[in-house]
Amino acid sequence: MARRAETIELAVLGLLHEAPMHGYELRKRLNLMLGWGRVLSYGSLYPTLKKMLRASLIEETLSTKTPGTPVSKRPRITYQVTEAGTREFERLMSEVGPTAWEDDNFDIRFAFFSSTDMEIRLRVLEGRRTRLQERLERVQSQLSLTQKEVDRYAAELQRHGVESVEREVEWLSGLINAERNGVPQQTSNETAPAIHGAPSTKPPATPAAEQAK
Amino acid sequence: MARRAETIELAVLGLLHEAPMHGYELRKRLNLMLGWGRVLSYGSLYPTLKKMLRASLIEETLSTKTPGTPVSKRPRITYQVTEAGTREFERLMSEVGPTAWEDDNFDIRFAFFSSTDMEIRLRVLEGRRTRLQERLERVQSQLSLTQKEVDRYAAELQRHGVESVEREVEWLSGLINAERNGVPQQTSNETAPAIHGAPSTKPPATPAAEQAK
DNA sequence: GTTAGCATGTAAGGAGTTACATGATTTT
DNA sequence: AAAATCATGTAACTCCTTACATGCTAAC
């Protein structure tokens, strides 16, 4: 699953961009965010954090919590983004191209869309939509070729998969429209109206993937 | 993604159960079947086939195609299931438990549902549904805790995710009803009525049951 | 005082992708 | 005759999970 590492990095940068926190919480937020399927393990997160530290994308602050520090408190570590980290975050967020709209990557980028401007958002949303449409075409053309005796259950699975992706496309279309018709996107505090009513669905577990994560 | 290996094996056994074929075609069918996300590479498939050969789950037949075989034709290899392979397939298909309803595994099992009986099907479908419902609960409870200032896009992503899983649950409920109300499942050739349709005879006491499109 | 959840890590190992390497057959 | 697609493989490498190991802190 090659390209996951970058994804985690981006997510970490994005979360720390909002507020400093420590590894444990980072993991929780991450799992909530992209955790519809597999869950990120500590064995994956902590090494990534160390790596990012070495690359100076983030910094750590050790806290000893209680004032009268006895001796050997194992310190809790709070991470913050550095300036370099912020720049890297911005660089990654303004990337347009396949890496931005592949399954895992897309979700993370979307979650932090507030940190980019509309142009980028539109391009990513459209790229993603095109990606899914290609997928649909490919599958549908292949299906018509193989159309020999299709097993009932296998066919139902396919049907459901197609339906899910189609719904996802509709969702994206709704979002694209909302962006274009300038849904107020500035941080006018609360009362955020639903971005758009469009129905939706990611191909969740069923068609073989929870593309999201 | 640890548990994928078994999944591939099951899929291979299932496909070869239907008809012998060679690796290349196996890969195509596999990708069509569970290929909504990542695609299975040769570097993954061929080693698996070798391993299954060693385990005597499948057998190979070398074909030289053209009658007047010159000399050094690289042979094409057609794979078939052995008896041991068939038994293994049946064993795996009648497993009920977590391994049967986790994301990837579920899809494969579902695709080959025709090879099991209704009891198993029902248990797997119900297990899967429960799994997803737990997921929803977990996410929703966590969301209510974190309900501080949620970013608009992040919130929309969550909303969409929840909606997708809810739809999946409805889909499963429909299938469960269909199984219970005995949708004719034997191979009465074509004119197979959509699995899904199944209007329940009695006004289903279960609220969840209604969904049926 | 003990369980449950917070918190941080490491080592070993498996699974699968990428990139490479080769060749046959069919279509244009 | 070239291009596309069918077809089979291997080696290196990355990523990530599993399982282990440790210890603090709050609640019951």
Side-chain angles (χ1 to χ4, degrees), chain A residues 32 36 38 110 114 121 135 151-153 156 158 167 171 179 200-202 204-208 210, chain B residues 1 32 34 36 103 107 110 114 121 128 135 151 153 156 158 160 163-164 167-168 171 179 195:
Chain A
L32 189 57
W36 284 103
R38 278 287 145 243
F110 184 85
S114 299
R121 289 200 292 259
R135 221 123 99 172
D151 177 85
R152 287 201 22 247
Y153 289 100
E156 173 62 15
Q158 282 298 336
R167 245 194 275 273
W171 180 64
E179 290 285 345
S200 46
T201 283
K202 33 187 77 177
T206 302
E210 226 138 352
Chain B
M1 208 132 267
L32 189 57
L34 36 91
W36 285 102
D103 298 333
D107 275 21
F110 185 85
S114 298
R121 289 200 292 259
R128 174 76 183 155
R135 222 124 98 172
D151 176 85
Y153 290 99
E156 172 62 15
Q158 282 297 336
H160 179 246
E163 197 181 292
S164 298
R167 242 195 274 276
E168 179 97 12
W171 180 65
E179 291 285 345
I195 286 179

Side-chain angles (χ1 to χ4, degrees), chain B residues 125-142:
Chain B
L125 288 170
E126 279 163 359
R128 174 76 183 155
R129 184 173 57 176
T130 303
R131 188 84 190 69
L132 293 181
Q133 279 165 338
E134 282 165 5
R135 222 124 98 172
L136 280 175
E137 274 168 46
R138 194 155 31 81
V139 169
Q140 256 144 2
S141 72
Q142 275 180 296

Side-chain angles (χ1 to χ4, degrees), chain A residues 166-186:
Chain A
E166 280 170 350
R167 245 194 275 273
E168 179 97 13
V169 168
E170 279 168 42
W171 180 64
L172 290 168
S173 294
L175 293 168
I176 289 167
N177 279 341
E179 290 285 345
R180 277 211 255 264
N181 306 335
V183 166
Q185 84 269 39
Q186 67 283 64

Side-chain angles (χ1 to χ4, degrees), chain A residues 114-132:
Chain A
S114 299
S115 306
T116 347
D117 34 56
M118 198 185 70
E119 259 179 69
I120 303 285
R121 289 200 292 259
L122 269 175
R123 278 206 269 173
V124 172
L125 289 170
E126 280 162 359
R128 174 80 183 149
R129 184 173 57 176
T130 303
R131 188 83 192 70
L132 293 181

Side-chain angles (χ1 to χ4, degrees), chain B residues 91-159:
Chain B
R91 190 183 68 74
L92 289 170
M93 282 301 292
S94 53
E95 261 181 2
V96 279
T99 51
W101 46 68
E102 274 310 326
D103 298 333
D104 285 339
N105 303 322
F106 173 75
D107 275 21
I108 289 300
R109 255 156 249 258
F110 185 85
F112 297 123
F113 255 14
S114 298
S115 307
T116 347
D117 34 57
M118 199 185 70
E119 260 179 70
I120 304 284
R121 289 200 292 259
L122 268 175
R123 278 207 269 173
V124 172
L125 288 170
E126 279 163 359
R128 174 76 183 155
R129 184 173 57 176
T130 303
R131 188 84 190 69
L132 293 181
Q133 279 165 338
E134 282 165 5
R135 222 124 98 172
L136 280 175
E137 274 168 46
R138 194 155 31 81
V139 169
Q140 256 144 2
S141 72
Q142 275 180 296
L143 276 183
S144 56
L145 295 181
T146 323
Q147 211 72 354
K148 24 194 73 167
E149 357 87 40
V150 236
D151 176 85
R152 287 202 19 249
Y153 290 99
E156 172 62 15
L157 187 62
Q158 282 297 336
R159 215 219 77 246

